């Protein structure tokens, strides 16, 4: 794609993602994206051919951006507590993302798609299962004697803290949410007394 075309394509994805975080995947139309980006609907169709193609690329982009924002900074750190600490902070920062008015697009899409069978749900589910395996691996490093069931509970609790943080911070406007999330996380990863 020529540089101008690639720039327009990226701008359309950014606009769609912004709208999706606030309104949801199903509610965003090609015309909405076109209007917000200052192009015609036919220009959007030139890049995506259909609303479904736009949605699929938006979901893929959400996953890529989450990976870049949360995993990439943690990846070079030593496995275990140091890496897990960075992942947790990255997840909270991702929810607070200033570039997205609606918070975490993956959480928004997960709530929207959880009962909607199809390729979007499948893509999102696969990415979340891969992420759970990464978290489980990190928990195994700090709990080497734990069985799989225990590690899966730790991952579940980790995800629960992240979800509770997003709810408290974004819906309830709770300024203490980050401190509470950090305290809950520290309790989760601290060795038993």
């Amino acid at each position: 794609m020529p540089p101008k075309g690639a720039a327009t394509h990226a701008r359309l994805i950014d606009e769609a993602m912004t709208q999706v975080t606030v309104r949801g995947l199903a509610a965003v139309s090609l015309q909405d994206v076109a209007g917000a980006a200052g192009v015609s609907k036919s220009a959007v169709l030139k890049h995506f051919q259909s609303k479904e193609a736009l949605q699929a690329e938006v979901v893929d982009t959400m996953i890529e951006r989450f990976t870049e924002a949360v995993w990439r900074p943690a990846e070079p750190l030593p496995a275990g507590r140091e890496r897990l600490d960075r992942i947790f902070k990255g997840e909270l920062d991702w929810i607070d993302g200033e570039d997205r008015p609606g918070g975490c697009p993956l959480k928004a899409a997960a709530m929207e798609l959880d009962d909607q069978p199809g390729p979007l749900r499948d893509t999102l589910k696969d990415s979340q299962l891969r992420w759970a395996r990464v978290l489980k691996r990190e928990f195994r490093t700090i709990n080497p004697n734990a069985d799989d069931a225990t590690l899966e509970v730790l991952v579940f609790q980790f995800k629960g803290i992240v979800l509770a943080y997003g709810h408290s911070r974004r819906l309830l406007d709770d300024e203490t949410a980050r401190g509470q999330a950090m305290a809950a996380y520290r309790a989760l990863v601290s060795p038993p007394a």
Side-chain angles (χ1 to χ4, degrees), residues 1-38:
M1 188 174 292
K4 183 178 178 187
T8 300
H9 191 89
R11 192 178 64 183
L12 294 171
I13 288 291
D14 286 344
E15 185 52 50
M17 206 160 118
T18 296
Q19 290 189 31
V20 165
T21 63
V22 176
R23 299 172 52 208
L25 277 165
V28 177
S29 71
L30 296 174
Q31 186 60 51
D32 294 334
V33 173

Side-chain angles (χ1 to χ4, degrees), residues 33-170:
V33 173
V39 300
S40 68
K41 182 177 176 183
S42 63
V44 176
L45 280 168
K46 179 180 173 187
H47 286 270
F48 300 103
Q49 288 76 51
S50 69
K51 180 178 177 177
E52 293 74 21
L54 173 64
Q55 289 173 327
E57 194 161 335
V58 166
V59 169
D60 288 342
T61 300
M62 289 176 191
I63 295 165
E64 289 169 16
R65 290 185 183 175
F66 175 86
T67 301
E68 288 303 313
V70 178
W71 173 246
R72 292 288 178 252
E75 186 178 22
L77 299 173
R81 178 66 188 265
E82 187 176 355
R83 186 183 288 163
L84 202 53
D85 288 353
R86 181 62 188 94
I87 288 169
F88 185 74
K89 180 186 179 304
E91 287 236 30
L92 300 188
D93 291 346
W94 173 256
I95 289 169
D96 290 340
E98 298 297 321
D99 61 328
R100 297 173 315 275
C104 176
L106 292 171
K107 304 288 187 271
M111 285 186 229
E112 181 177 355
L113 297 173
D114 61 358
D115 291 323
Q116 303 294 322
L120 294 176
R121 181 184 188 276
D122 294 345
T123 298
L124 189 57
K125 179 181 175 182
D126 289 346
S127 78
Q128 295 303 295
L129 290 171
R130 283 192 312 273
W131 185 237
R133 286 192 297 272
V134 168
L135 295 173
K136 185 176 177 181
R137 184 186 68 219
E138 296 306 319
F139 274 110
R140 184 178 304 284
T141 302
I142 62 175
N143 299 284
N145 298 321
D147 61 15
D148 278 352
T150 300
L151 295 171
E152 287 165 8
V153 168
L154 291 169
V155 171
F156 186 89
Q157 291 172 323
F158 180 99
K159 292 188 298 185
I161 295 167
V162 170
L163 288 170
Y165 172 72
H167 174 79
S168 293
R169 179 75 180 97
R170 299 198 66 84

